[in-house]
């Protein structure tokens, strides 16, 4: 497990603990390197779920930025892997059916796997 991923997992655990009561008015994750606020979203709607997914993706990209190394026109595989792992783990921890389905559709994961 990479150092970056081992640092990310505690933040994702905090994310899950905060995200599960998704009706909290000002729910947010504030852990080293990652912050996701979603208290303003209605996760019972596809639009709310899509916005949360974009926020997760954006936070993962920002968190993984140190792993980003441009190689010509391609990004480092370490960066891509970091982002994919961070997004998948966060979606899994939140465990919200609409978010899981959206992640499966966007990531190409079948059968609910991330």
């Amino acid at each position: 497990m990479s150092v970056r991923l081992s640092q990310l997992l505690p933040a994702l655990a905090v994310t899950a603990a905060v995200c599960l009561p998704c009706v909290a008015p000002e729910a947010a994750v504030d852990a080293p390197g990652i912050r996701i606020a979603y208290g303003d979203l209605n996760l019972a709607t596809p639009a709310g779920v899509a916005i949360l997914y974009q926020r997760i993706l954006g936070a993962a990209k920002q968190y993984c930025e140190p792993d980003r190394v441009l190689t010509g026109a391609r990004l480092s595989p370490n960066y891509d892997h970091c982002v994919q792992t961070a997004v998948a783990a966060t979606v899994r921890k939140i465990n919200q059916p609409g978010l899981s389905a959206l992640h499966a559709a966007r990531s190409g994961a079948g059968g609910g796997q991330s």
Side-chain angles (χ1 to χ4, degrees):
M1 180 180 313
S2 74
V3 173
R4 179 66 53 191
L5 181 57
S6 66
Q7 292 170 342
L8 179 61
L9 290 177
L12 295 175
V14 171
T15 301
V18 174
C19 289
L20 288 176
C22 289
V23 294
E26 292 302 320
V29 174
D30 192 5
I34 209 166
R35 179 171 175 80
I36 304 168
Y38 60 90
D40 59 323
L41 301 177
N42 180 353
L43 299 183
T45 67
V49 170
I51 293 169
L52 177 57
Y53 189 80
Q54 286 306 112
R55 289 179 187 178
I56 292 168
L57 184 58
K61 286 179 178 180
Q62 184 175 358
Y63 183 82
C64 295
E65 187 65 26
D67 288 343
R68 185 178 180 174
V69 178
L70 292 177
T71 314
R74 296 172 39 107
L75 291 176
S76 164
N78 292 338
Y79 173 78
D80 291 339
H81 179 71
C82 178
V83 171
Q84 291 167 4
T85 301
V87 170
T90 303
V91 168
R92 230 182 354 265
K93 295 286 184 181
I94 292 172
N95 195 27
Q96 198 273 346
L99 183 62
S100 297
L102 179 62
H103 174 66
R106 291 202 180 167
S107 68
Q113 297 175 353
S114 323

